[in-house]
Amino acid sequence: SQKIEQNSEALNIQEGKTATLTCNYTNYSPAYLQWYRQDPGRGPVFLLLIRENEKEKRKERLKVTFDTTLKQSLFHITASQPADSATYLCAIVWGQNFVFGPGTRLSVLP
Amino acid sequence: DADVTQTPRNRITKTGKRIMLECSQTKGHDRMYWYRQDPGLGLRLIYYSFDVKDINKGEISDGYSVSRQAQAKFSLSLESAIPNQTALYFCATSDPGRANTGELFFGEGSRLTVL
């Protein structure tokens, strides 16, 4: 069956460290993968998109990688700050639609 | 003002009642979606519409119906609400000009509790 998994439900890290979140998928061959941020009680907000022919994408302190052989995307936040605390969702663009992973709740501790 | 507006933001109702969640958008996007979010399950697609005359079922459409009244309006109805429809519901839009690459723009969500 088709499935999208994110490495852990919750991740705690110390301020200033690099947070690494994982998104794994099975039985999909997506051409694109997106990452969203969701704050409590709010709708998800788009962060980054990476295409299958791109190995890496960067935006400020964010970096996303996409390995179609491993069927995995990694999402990195460098020099993390307490304000980065949120739930992060990966989404596969599949056909005309978007299929989401369950999310990882990141807490950056001061 | 928000680009994607959902009403109501919170609703408590009883089993068997009919409920409508409304969504309106000012982004001018043709594509609109309804998702539900449950803890540990992520966002799951209920229905989507690519234009006013186009309605499609998503992954979990049973027990729900939708109406696309105009390009800017997309409503979700629960004809007879049941407790396992308690969830956070999100409306979203996307830009068809960027089909598979454009991001989703979400509303703030409608929290529904069915007693």
Side-chain angles (χ1 to χ4, degrees), chain B residues 1-5 23-32 68 71-73 91-96 98 103-107:
Chain B
D1 288 341
D3 293 324
V4 183
T5 303
C23 178
S24 63
Q25 52 114 346
T26 58
K27 299 194 73 66
H29 292 168
D30 284 331
R31 297 189 174 190
M32 298 187 73
R68 185 79 183 268
Q71 186 207 38
K73 295 184 182 297
C91 175
T93 73
S94 70
D95 180 355
R98 291 190 289 169
E103 68 265 34
L104 287 168
F105 296 86
F106 285 87

Side-chain angles (χ1 to χ4, degrees), chain A residues 6-13 19-22 35-41 75 77 82 84-90 101-109, chain B residues 37-40:
Chain A
Q6 294 189 239
N7 57 325
S8 58
E9 187 174 332
L11 179 65
N12 296 329
I13 65 165
T20 298
L21 284 63
T22 304
W35 284 88
Y36 290 77
R37 169 183 172 141
Q38 185 176 20
D39 292 291
F75 177 82
I77 306 175
D84 295 325
S85 297
T87 296
Y88 292 86
L89 309 172
C90 68
T104 295
R105 187 174 67 253
L106 174 68
S107 296
V108 181
L109 308 174
Chain B
Q37 187 173 42
D38 299 276

